[in-house]
Every structure is written in structure tokens, then in C-alpha cells.
Amino acid sequence: MFLINCPFCGERDQSEFSSGGEAHIVRPKQPTELSDDEWAEYLFMRKNIKGIQFERWNHAHGCRKWFNVVRDTSNDKILSVYKMGEKPPVNYK
Amino acid sequence: MANYRIHKTEYIDETKRVSFKYDGKTYFGYEGDTLASALLANGIHLVGRSFKYHRPRGIFSCGAEEPNAICQIGSKKDLTEPNVRATELELYEGLEASSQNCWPNVKFDIGGINNFISPLIPAGFYYKTFMWPKSFWKKVYEPLIRLSAGLGKSPTEPDPDIYDHKYVHYDVLVIGGGISGIISAKMAAKNNLKTLLVDDKKILGGSTIYQNNESIKIDDKLSSEWLKNEIQEIKKLSNLTIKTRTSIAAYHGYNFLLAKENLTDHLPEEKKKNKIRQRLWKIRAKKVVIATGSIERPLVFNNNDRPGILLSNSINKYLDYYGVTCGENIILFTNNDSAYETSISLHKKGIKNIIVDLRKSASSELIKQAESLGIKIYFNHVVTNTFGYRKINSLEIMKLSEDGNTTVGNKIRLSCDCLGMSGGWTPMVHMHTQSGGKLDFRDEDQVFLPKENSEDQISVGSCNGDFDLEIIIDKTVNKINKFLDIDIQDYQDTNIICSKENDKRNIWLLPNKIPLGKTKSFIDFQNDSTAKDIKLALKEGFRSIEHVKRYTTTGMATDQGKLSNMHALGIIADTAGVKMGTLGTTTFRPPFTPLTFGTLVGRNVGKFFEVVRKTSMHEWHVENNAKFENVGQWKRPWYYPKNGENMYDAVQRESKAARDSAGILDASTLGKIDIQGTDASEFLNRVYTNAWSKLAIGKCRYGLMLNEDGMVYDDGVTTRISENHYLMTTTTGGAANVLSKLEDYLQTEWPELDVYLTSVTDHYSTASICGPNSKKILNKLFPNLDLSDENFPHMSFKEEKLENINCRIMRISFTGELSYEINIEAKYGHSLWKMCIEAGKDFNLTPYGTETMHLLRAEKGFIIVGQDTDGTMTPSDLQMDWIVSKKKYDFIGKRSLYRSDTIREDRKQLVGLLTDDPKEILEEGAQIVLDVKSKPIDMLGHVTSSYFSPNLNKSIALAVVRSGKTMKGQKLIIPMENKNINVTVSDTIFLDKENKRLNA
């Protein structure tokens, strides 16, 4: 059971959060310009890596804020937490 | 000698006699006993039958690893508990226990015949045998197997006991109150760290607390005496919490652990009453010290399972802790030094014993001590067989060959009434691996050890593979100082004298002259798997330990292989000729010992099982005989039966009344989201398929919301209350998800939009009045409100006071009738409802529930998201192209609406169905086909909604059918179990296509 450091509320139990999958997938500004394949890339394709992954989490039963998390999926360690719109920490690239 | 209690110890209070029943017979023990120690004091070893061969089995250990002495406690239907380990169960006055897995009784068990036909029951027997004929499984094989198998009986009535949950946070959690746990806890607590020490036993001290050997001393005191002092010391520490009778069940990530605290299981019946039985601790610890100790290993040889055969150290504990001897003529069979401690203890109490040692020789202090006491030792010997049916009475030993692969020389027969075995020690690495830790293998004594890889947890003591007392204390102190980043010097000058084990010899499967196939060398005592089974599995091609485990069921009983997994691995490694450390282990899964469901559930039973949401009008519905339907967590009136009506009749009456005069629905549960901000209109444009910018203030509009994949997600009516203020309604079940989806887009995709969302579902109550007389009823309620179509047309909104209380009234319709929804602050909801009912008296205003609502909207062909859609329907599939804006550049899901898959013409599409026989009502979910003769039958779709319409006097249905849009007039067939129903595809709107009733 993770202990997640919500950037707005502090450390809280995982049961207060919901996961929103891979982070930094930007919704295309002009979807109509995209081919089926390009749109499918945005819509369906997600990484599922063993190792360091950038994810979105929502403090659903708390402040309702979305934020980003850097997590090592091999040991579930959360390495960093940062707000939406902030640049991802470079040292985990 | 009927009494095997041979001396007094401080842990048994002989002034407090306790009577208990075992298998119906009354016995006596003392306060401080476990059920097992009390039975042994009465000379009882035989406590059960084995699972498969029904062989007599005796008490084997003194702790959580016990495979044999598991019993059924109590006989009441609601309170009986199976699979309780007699070695852990504290004795109390009035305890009733019985043996399991035997019929008719433990001494004469019919299933014992399995022992003689055992060559016919090899590993995988059930998989191989009961396959044919297939039809026999359900009716013949399974009931028979179930009758003869099983470990105890579950309670058949609800558990009346009280359970509790507790959440705690600590700086340091120490698991295990043996010597290394006590030292760790003391060091942590003395450094002002808030510390919790848990131990599953009644008292702290582990196995050192009864260690009374002269050659093992700390600061010139017997190790047990020294430890007692330490325990007195730590009890004074104010920031140390000590919880005994508390066992860690699971170690989850981020140092989140579950512990079970036993509060009343050791108390007599009358003292248990009204008390919390068990408490589940949910622990968050910054650091965890694992000091869970180790478990002694059995040895694997022919007939190593007879009653009277125990683990050597358990014999020692029964003697020095409980004052009970397990026999009068004891043989100890060992491959290490620890059995010598047992031997010396027995000798001191005058119990005759001899030692059979696998090792060629050994030379530690303990061995010298035993030799000097004149204890007979057979070095380089091995036990090859044992005798005695209900209890061991003798055994055979033989000399080992130089390489240990065979036996040599003559058999020597030795008589005995008890055999203690010690195959070394297995560190309890369960907690370490549950936390995600990996293991190393130490070849020297064939143990898996925790591999340190985390700054949050550490293993100390014998669970870390440290067995000599001096090493245990030294390493514990050093490791804890480093782990907690502290510098405690308390133990710097501690003077430790102990015997040091120098010689080791391990043989997983002991050699025998008898071919393996004819021996019964047990590995897993509880599941009856033998060395032969493991070898057979290997022969049949199984290689992975996980596969061998499942095929032979080794390690799959309630003890989870605490005693057997290592031996299975060892034999696989030896047979396959690989190094044991390379094989890996099976997964150590929680819980460490079984947990009751009660503990897990805690107080969340009965009405606390789930949150129930009720509307403000709920009491009225109850008083008026409503039947309720669960919609999410909401209780919604389903229908209101009158004069003994069934559901069908009630719904027919309600539906007719709503169209003939007036009906009223409690619509409070619909999701309501308050949307404000200068970009609110733009936001709605992006989340709904239709256009919102031009919606005038005071007007309402129906909206359809898609997922980004183009599939319909939710729908509802949104009202523009002022320039920058909207009120959105959602489906009852979808409210929370819609809000979170909208928040997601606002926060992550469009943070530039000035929009604020607030859930106001619970803040407003809603009464929806529909029907041709609804305007008259509204007029009675709001006499000053101009209800003319010019002033208050369909799809518009007014604010008006009801006795000084503000109401929001929307003229919107989900039934196709002239209809008004009155919203009021929730606290006035009940009054509003009653006033509506009063005002409707002269107009047969009929309360209706969700079922009638569904029927009325189906007559109009309105969809219900989640009933007529399932996450694979586009607006076009629903024949709702009209609601998708062609002009808008973008909205959620737009691009997906012309993906190659979504523009396929043979997608399943929503259609109406009319049965040829208008009285025939279709079943929702029924399959639809064109032709029943083709094989395989081509399935075209299924029925999503089906009702008998009292207003049309015929059966109507909605369905999704492949290429349904082009099928109007097409005859289709609904094949049912006993008949085929003929239907015709129709329009989805069955009633009032021209929408005349909206303005009636």
C-alpha cells in the first residue's frame, strides 16, 4: 500500500488516490488533422515499462487534484512527485 | 505414569487447574498451558489423521508451524472454528476441542485404508484418475472426495463476535519478541523513537526464555535469567508499546503491515462476552526490524510421521517451559548441535535419552557436556525406519557410508516412546520477502537468508541466519545502530559465553536400503506428500518448484509449507543435480498464519457493510410501501405496490397514470454538477457533442458526452442559470465518474479555462412531476408563476419561491409528457414532496419508481446509458447523429467518430423491436438471430430494454442489432430455451413521434 506525497496535501494512504496511467501524453491540439494511425497512437498506445515510469495520479478522496508521479515499477518506489504543468525531473530520464 | 508433568516452571500456575474437553473426554491442565502441552501432560500424542492416507499423527511442534495438531474448537453453529493449531491455543476453562479429518474417530479411522492402497495414490492422483467419464465429476467423484476430505468444518451461522480495526503510526516496528527483537526494541525506544514490539506468544522471550544450559551464559547469568532482566527493563520504557498475542499477518509495500491481536481467545466463555475478540492493526512504520526467528527442520526418512515423533527443540520447550516430558525413553536424531541442548535438559530432569547424529563427529562445548554426562551418542548414524501404529515404540538405525549416500553395516533396533528430530534451522524470511526483499543462499547450512536491499527494513537474529548467541547479540547491536543511525553502547561490555557449532552435515533425503517407492518419507505432513511424490513429479517432467509444489501439493496446506518447502527444494536440487540456491523458492504469501474473516472485516458488517445514500424523501417512500432498487449506493424507489400488487401490475398502473393524468418521481439521485466561470460555455462545448455557446440564459439543453474513443459515456440535461453559471445533470450511477473526468480535462488538458466544478448532488432534492395534469399541479404549488408555453416553454428554467424557499424549476422531460422538475435545497426536500402530493390529490398524482420511469422513456425511445449502451456504442450507433455537431472543430471523442472502425456500417446499432404476438414480452439480454437453422447460428445482437406498454397495449423492446439501421421491417428471431419468438425491427420511438404530448 503506497504512501503518496500529494503535492497539495502531504503524505496520504494510497486508498485516497486513483491512478490515471501514463503521464505527459498531450491531447493533440488539432485532432482532425491526424490520420487514424496518429490518432490511435494518442488514444491507445501506452508504455508499460519495468523500471522508471512517469504517471498521473489523482487525490480523488482528498483535494481532487491531479499531479504527476515518478515511480519505479520494479519496486513500487515513488521517486518524485510534481504538479501538473511542471517539468518532469530530468534526473530520471 | 499417567502424568507427564514432571516439574514446576514459572510459566505454569499449578494452583489454577483448568478443565477442558478433547474429543468429548474431560482432561485437566493448568493456567499457562497450551492445548498441546496439556494433552502431552496427559500422555496424549495422537491428535489427528493425515489428509490423504489417514495415518495417525501426533503433536509435532510447539508453534505456528504445527502441521498435525490442528483441531476444531467448539461445536456451536455460529462460533465453531476449524484448523486451530493446538500448539498455539492457550488453554481456558471449558475449552472444547476435537480432532479433524477422521471418521468415525481418531483411533479408528476408516480412511486409514488409504494408507494400504497408497501405492495407488501417487502424486497427481486426482488429476489423473477422476478425468473420465467427464459426467462423473459433478455427481460422483466430487461429492465422494468432499465427504472423505476436508480439514474441519466452517461455521454455518453468522459470527456473533466483535472485531475491531486500529490504525497506528510508529517510528520503528519490531516483529518478534525473542532476544534480538528485545534488544532492537530497547535500542530504538531508548533513542526516543516511538516503537512498537509485537510477538505472537503470551509472553516475550522467544526460545531464549527457557534456555537453561550452563554452557550458555550472558554476563555470568543463564541466558534466560539475563533476558528476563532485559524484559523488565524494556517494560519501563515510556515510548515503547509492547503487544503480545499479536502476529503480523502481512507485510505490504511502504512498510504497511497488518497484525492480528488476539484479545479474548484465551479466556473462558463467560469472560469473552461483549468483548472485542480480535483486532486488526494497520501499521505504518518508518522502519521495520524483522526478528521473527527460525523454525527447526524435520528429517526425511521412512515413517518419520508417527505419533511420538516431534521436533527436538519442541521437546525442550515442553520440558523447560511447560514442565512436561514428551516421553520417558527418548531418542534424539539430529544433524546439528541444538538437539544436544534438549538432550542435556532431559538428562537433568532424569529422562533417559540417547542421540543419533548424522555427523561423523562433533566437538563443541555442548557435545562435550553431553558426553561428560554419559549420554550415549551414535555418530555417523541414520534412522532408517520407525515402528508403532498409534505411537512410536522403536526404531532402526544404520551407519552411514563415507559419502553419506548409502547405509552400511547392520541395523540396530532401539526401543523408545518418543523421537525428537532436528534437521537444522530455517530462518523465517517470510516478512522479508513479503516486503519485496530478495534472498541469498548459504551453502554451508543450506539456508535462504535475507539479502539486504532496503533502508526501511532489516532482519536480525536467527531469521537472518545467525544462530550462535554471541553472533546474534553482536550483530543485532551493530546492525540496529547503523540501521537507526544511533549509537547505543549498552551492550558493549556484555560478556557472552556460548557453545559454538563447528560441524555441519546436511542430507535432505536420508539413505535407506528399502527402495524409495516402498518408503513413506514424509515431507509435507499436513498434505501427506512424500519424497517419492517429489521424485515422481521430476520424473514426469516438472522442473519449476512452483509446478512441483502444485502437482504434489507440497506446501499448500494451512501451514503453507513452513516445515516442508526447504526439503522439497533440497530433494529437487539433489535429484536434478543443480545447486539449491539456483532454484529459487516458492512465493511467501500473506497471511503468515490464517486470519479469520471477522478480523479482516472488522466492524464493517450488517448495516455498516456499505454506505447507503438516501434522498430527503426516503421516509415518505418507506411509509408509502415503496420497494427499493439499489442504484450505485443510492436507494431509489423501484415501484409502489398497492393492495398486494406485484411489480408488473404496479408498474402498469403507475405508467398509465403518468400518461393519463400525472405522475411524480423522486429524481434527487441524478448527479448534479455546478459549473461556473467565464469559460463555462466553452468548456461545455468541448465536453458535449452538441453546441452550447448559443444556449440562452434560462434555457436547458440535453447533452451527450463521449469518451475520447468516441463511445457514449454519459448524458443529461444542462441548464444555463446565468451568463457564466450552468447546472449539469448526469446519470445517477455516473455522477462521480463524470465529475472526475471533467476535473481531469480541466486540470490537465485545459488549465487555461476559467471553470470551477462543484458536486451539488446532495445539496438539492428534486421532484419530477409529469403528465397532462402536471401544469395544473404546478399552478397550485406556484400560483404566481406564469406557466404559459410562451413564458415557460419546454426546455426552459424558472426560479420561484415556495413559501419563501427558493426553487429551481426546469421544464424538461424524460417521459415525453409535459413535465417539470422542481429542485429545492435538500433539507426542504421532504416538505416539497409532501406539498406536491397534496397539490396533486385531485389529479390522481401517482408516485412512480425507476421501473416505470424506464418503461415510460422506452415508449419514447430514450436511451439509458449503461442499459442500452455498454461502452461500445457511438452516437451514430444509437441513431442519435442529430446531437453531434458538424460545425464544432473539436470535442471529446470527435476524432474517433470517423476512425475506420467507428464508421463501419455493420456495427451494432440501436433499433426497436415489436413482437409478432403483442402480448409476448422479451427477456432483456436475449440473443437475436436471423436464422435458427444455420450452424453455428449467426448472433446479430441482443435485447437491451423490454416492457409491456400499457399505453400502447403491446410489448415493446429496444435492442442492438448488427447493421440494425438498415433493417426496419426485417423479421428476426429470438431463440429461447423452449421456443423461438418472432419479432420485427421497428423505429426506436414507439409513442408520440411528433412530441405533441410535451405541450399537451
Side-chain angles (χ1 to χ4, degrees), chain B residues 190 248 574 588 602 616 696 723 792 801 811 824:
Chain B
K190 280 189 98 173
I248 299 291
D574 287 349
F588 296 91
S616 305
E723 176 66 25
F792 195 177
K801 286 195 181 341
R811 185 173 162 186
I824 197 164

Side-chain angles (χ1 to χ4, degrees), chain B residues 715-997:
Chain B
D715 68 344
V717 170
T718 296
T719 304
R720 189 167 197 176
I721 290 173
S722 66
E723 176 66 25
N724 295 324
H725 186 188
Y726 290 84
L727 184 68
M728 174 188 278
T729 61
T730 73
T731 57
T732 297
N737 291 336
V738 169
L739 178 67
S740 110
K741 177 186 158 99
L742 298 183
E743 278 284 359
D744 187 354
Y745 275 91
L746 258 187
Q747 291 179 32
T748 68
E749 298 295 349
W750 310 317
E752 72 280 7
L753 293 185
D754 175 38
V755 177
Y756 300 90
L757 306 174
T758 311
S759 168
V760 292
T761 306
D762 293 282
H763 301 62
Y764 294 97
S765 290
T766 310
S768 171
I769 300 176
C770 76
N773 282 322
S774 56
K775 196 177 273 182
K776 289 173 193 155
I777 297 166
L778 259 282
N779 190 41
K780 280 186 118 181
L781 287 164
F782 303 98
N784 299 326
L785 181 64
D786 178 0
L787 292 164
S788 66
D789 290 343
E790 297 72 43
N791 183 59
F792 195 177
H794 182 56
M795 296 309 264
S796 65
F797 151 80
K798 295 284 172 206
E799 277 186 288
E800 180 69 12
K801 286 195 181 341
L802 182 66
E803 289 191 4
N804 289 327
I805 309 302
N806 219 17
C807 293
R808 288 173 172 170
I809 307 164
M810 283 85 168
R811 185 173 162 186
I812 52 178
S813 177
F814 190 41
T815 57
E817 294 298 311
L818 170 65
S819 177
Y820 299 90
E821 282 191 14
I822 310 165
N823 291 275
I824 197 164
E825 251 184 275
K827 61 183 169 186
Y828 303 114
H830 193 220
S831 307
L832 166 70
W833 184 268
K834 283 198 293 192
M835 289 169 81
C836 293
I837 297 287
E838 186 57 37
K841 256 188 178 164
D842 299 337
F843 305 100
N844 186 29
L845 176 65
T846 301
Y848 66 91
T850 50
E851 195 61 26
T852 293
M853 174 184 84
H854 287 177
L855 189 158
L856 294 173
R857 64 87 207 180
E859 289 176 336
K860 283 292 297 173
F862 295 150
I863 58 154
I864 289 187
V865 173
Q867 177 162 342
D868 303 300
T869 73
D870 59 1
T872 66
M873 304 295 285
T874 65
S876 178
D877 295 338
L878 296 169
Q879 308 215 37
M880 290 172 77
D881 303 80
W882 55 271
I883 201 173
V884 180
S885 162
K886 303 275 184 302
K887 290 183 194 145
K888 279 202 293 183
Y889 180 71
D890 193 14
F891 55 83
I892 297 173
K894 179 177 169 103
R895 175 59 185 87
S896 291
L897 294 180
Y898 53 94
R899 289 177 55 236
S900 57
D901 188 59
T902 39
I903 55 172
R904 269 193 300 119
E905 278 173 8
D906 62 346
R907 291 178 61 83
K908 284 185 182 171
Q909 293 147 353
L910 190 75
V911 295
L913 290 181
L914 291 171
T915 46
D916 289 4
D917 171 4
K919 298 275 173 229
E920 181 84 56
I921 307 169
L922 298 175
E923 258 184 54
E924 286 172 3
Q927 292 293 322
I928 303 166
V929 304
L930 183 62
D931 173 16
V932 285
K933 286 184 196 100
S934 69
K935 274 185 183 175
I937 301 181
D938 192 17
M939 313 282 229
L940 297 180
H942 66 274
V943 179
T944 59
S945 296
S946 168
Y947 308 89
F948 186 82
S949 160
N951 301 302
L952 298 161
N953 200 25
K954 65 180 178 190
S955 162
I956 57 166
L958 295 171
V960 291
V961 177
R962 195 199 302 153
S963 304
K965 278 188 201 171
T966 59
M967 280 187 157
K968 204 174 283 181
Q970 172 78 50
K971 297 266 179 201
L972 294 172
I973 301 166
I974 314 259
M976 298 302 289
E977 208 169 0
N978 305 316
K979 59 180 172 187
N980 294 324
I981 303 170
N982 297 313
V983 297
T984 306
V985 175
S986 72
D987 197 88
T988 54
I989 306 169
F990 300 97
L991 182 130
D992 187 26
K993 281 195 177 75
E994 305 77 22
N995 288 330
K996 283 183 188 155
R997 304 180 70 94

Side-chain angles (χ1 to χ4, degrees), chain B residues 23 99 200 272 313-314 338 359-360 460 514-515 552 584 603 617 645 752 786:
Chain B
D23 276 346
S99 48
D200 59 345
K272 287 188 211 277
N313 185 255
S314 299
S338 53
R359 297 174 295 180
K360 289 170 188 165
V460 294
I514 311 168
T552 63
R603 306 260 174 174
M617 293 81 153
E645 277 174 328
E752 72 280 7
D786 178 0

Side-chain angles (χ1 to χ4, degrees), chain B residues 38-54:
Chain B
L39 287 170
L40 288 169
N42 284 282
I44 294 168
H45 279 263
L46 173 59
V47 286
R49 291 279 175 159
S50 71
F51 185 63
K52 199 161 138 192
Y53 305 123
H54 291 253

Side-chain angles (χ1 to χ4, degrees), chain A residues 1-4 12-14 18 25-37 39-40 42-44 56 58 63-67 71 75-79 84, chain B residues 169 252-256 284 453-456 686 708-710 739-740 743-745 747-750 752 757-759 889-896 898-901:
Chain A
M1 188 85 81
F2 302 175
L3 206 55
I4 299 173
R12 295 289 190 279
D13 194 279
Q14 185 185 346
S18 59
I25 295 176
V26 182
R27 189 175 186 273
K29 286 269 177 281
Q30 297 173 313
T32 41
E33 312 293 313
L34 302 181
S35 69
D36 269 12
D37 284 351
W39 180 246
Y42 159 73
L43 195 55
F44 301 120
R56 293 158 11 104
N58 181 16
C63 64
R64 279 179 19 204
K65 283 284 191 186
W66 284 90
F67 56 94
R71 182 170 67 102
N75 60 14
D76 279 344
K77 283 247 154 58
I78 291 176
L79 305 169
M84 280 295 157
Chain B
H169 293 259
H252 296 296
Y254 286 72
N255 281 357
F256 179 71
R284 285 272 187 195
N453 67 340
S454 146
E455 66 268 31
D456 300 332
R686 296 188 191 185
E708 206 67 270
D709 62 5
L739 178 67
S740 110
E743 278 284 359
D744 187 354
Y745 275 91
Q747 291 179 32
T748 68
E749 298 295 349
W750 310 317
E752 72 280 7
L757 306 174
T758 311
S759 168
Y889 180 71
D890 193 14
F891 55 83
I892 297 173
K894 179 177 169 103
R895 175 59 185 87
S896 291
Y898 53 94
R899 289 177 55 236
S900 57
D901 188 59

